Amino acid sequence: MQATAIAQPNIALIKYWGKRDVLRNLPAVGSISITLSTLYTEVSVELDDGLPSDILLVNGDENEAMLGRISACLDNVVGEQRPRAHVASQSNFPIAAGLASSSSAFAATTVAAAGAARRLCDTGDLARMAGSASGSAARSLYGGFAELKNAGDTINLSSLRDVDSWPLRVVVAITETACKAVGSTEAMEISRRTSPFYGSWIEQQDNDLDVARAAIAGKDFAQLATIAEHNCLKMHSVMWASRPPMVYWNSATMRCMQTVRQLQEEGCNVFFTIDAGPQVKAICLPEDEKNVVRALSETPGVQEIMTSGLGPAARLVARS
Ligand code: PMV
């Protein structure tokens, strides 16, 4: 029994940073994201009674490091008594480098595993299962704008806007392709235990979510820009003040932020956001994309530029 799924990574505009319950992977804060269109991960899962153990190939190479989390995700979707699986994952962008590759990888794995096992699930069920593996993956079960809530006893999502109703553009400036030093689960726990700013981060999140939700509902780009940058910089302040400190930026990250500031001063509708890695994502209106691409390409230290629109939800593409 085999199935293949495709999922696009999503980028948080209001960030998920911190867990309320590590075992069940419940977030300590709500978050709001946009799902991208041009970046994707394709995962095929083949359940095979003849296999002695699970096998994971990432971009063609056997990957031991991620195997434990992928096996746990399959146990959750298919059941612990399941046949072993051959899982092959292919992404068209750098993985584990702060480009949300875990969101697309676990979303696609969940959908492919459910397809291979012939499990009938609705989007909410799939999002809950993907979210147990990686919180941000739950959001890739939705296209366009999605919200992962910090409410109730389970992973809980809603769609805020569909993919076509506000066609923002995302320009990703890649400043480094090496894997990140500290994974997000460990980093979130270090922040919770040691950052003096963690408490106020949690306390202020509902306000940031309200402002962003209203901006998205009203297509108010300026309001969304201000709250998204503020929320991103607060998350990084929590990380920087942790012990040990977690600084995911490099000098080119900083230069890209200055480029975005300069563009804003020239009247360009653009804002930045940065996740657990050194890449800068510049979100802009379609008419400003050309200028954003040009300015970021000319920024010293930028290795590559990727552009994207908003994309669809994770989906099954083949089953046999
Ligand atoms: O879902 P995880 O464990 O990969 O954590 C995601 C953390 C951030 O990307 C930094 C923020 C977010 O909301 O996506």
Side-chain angles (χ1 to χ4, degrees), residues 51-67 70 85-90 95:
L51 278 178
S53 56
D54 292 333
I55 300 172
L56 171 66
L57 296 183
V58 176
N59 293 336
D61 296 324
E62 218 167 302
N63 187 310
E64 287 287 331
M66 287 294 289
L67 183 60
I70 291 288
H86 187 280
V87 180
S89 164
Q90 199 81 36
I95 56 170

Side-chain angles (χ1 to χ4, degrees), residues 145-164:
F145 294 78
E147 179 170 2
L148 170 58
K149 293 178 187 161
N150 169 33
D153 214 26
T154 175
I155 292 166
N156 196 325
L157 285 103
S158 65
S159 169
L160 295 181
R161 237 185 204 293
D162 66 31
V163 50
D164 299 318

Side-chain angles (χ1 to χ4, degrees), residues 123-305:
T123 305
D125 295 332
L126 290 166
R128 272 184 286 283
M129 291 188 284
S132 314
S134 158
S136 58
R139 299 184 310 231
S140 279
L141 263 298
Y142 295 79
F145 294 78
E147 179 170 2
L148 170 58
K149 293 178 187 161
N150 169 33
D153 214 26
T154 175
I155 292 166
N156 196 325
L157 285 103
S158 65
S159 169
L160 295 181
R161 237 185 204 293
D162 66 31
V163 50
D164 299 318
S165 63
W166 195 18
L168 300 182
R169 299 289 303 173
V170 182
V171 180
V172 183
I174 313 258
T175 64
E176 199 180 299
T177 50
C179 289
K180 58 189 165 195
V182 189
S184 54
T185 299
E186 190 189 342
M188 286 181 199
E189 281 301 282
I190 294 173
S191 291
R192 183 182 61 77
R193 285 198 308 266
T194 68
S195 178
F197 303 150
Y198 186 78
S200 42
W201 159 252
I202 303 285
E203 229 172 79
Q204 292 176 21
Q205 188 79 343
D206 282 346
N207 180 62
D208 292 6
L209 287 162
D210 288 345
V211 174
R213 230 182 275 115
I216 291 164
K219 297 197 201 178
D220 185 337
F221 188 86
Q223 191 181 348
L224 185 60
T226 307
I227 196 65
E229 287 189 355
H230 174 64
N231 187 266
C232 163
L233 292 174
K234 267 196 305 198
M235 178 185 76
H236 285 277
S237 305
V238 171
M239 296 172 177
W240 283 38
S242 297
R243 295 185 162 189
M246 289 167 296
V247 180
Y248 287 103
W249 304 357
N250 58 31
S251 52
T253 312
M254 196 70 213
R255 281 196 288 266
C256 288
M257 290 163 69
Q258 287 166 339
T259 297
V260 171
R261 279 279 172 274
Q262 182 65 39
L263 285 163
Q264 288 169 338
E265 276 161 30
E266 291 162 11
C268 196
N269 292 293
V270 62
F271 66 88
F272 63 76
T273 192
I274 305 158
D275 292 293
Q279 331 303 356
V280 176
K281 294 105 184 187
I283 293 97
C284 62
L285 292 181
E287 56 269 33
D288 291 306
E289 182 179 3
K290 238 185 178 162
N291 277 339
V292 175
V293 169
R294 184 195 38 77
L296 284 172
S297 326
E298 289 169 359
T299 301
V302 171
Q303 297 182 2
E304 194 188 335
I305 295 283

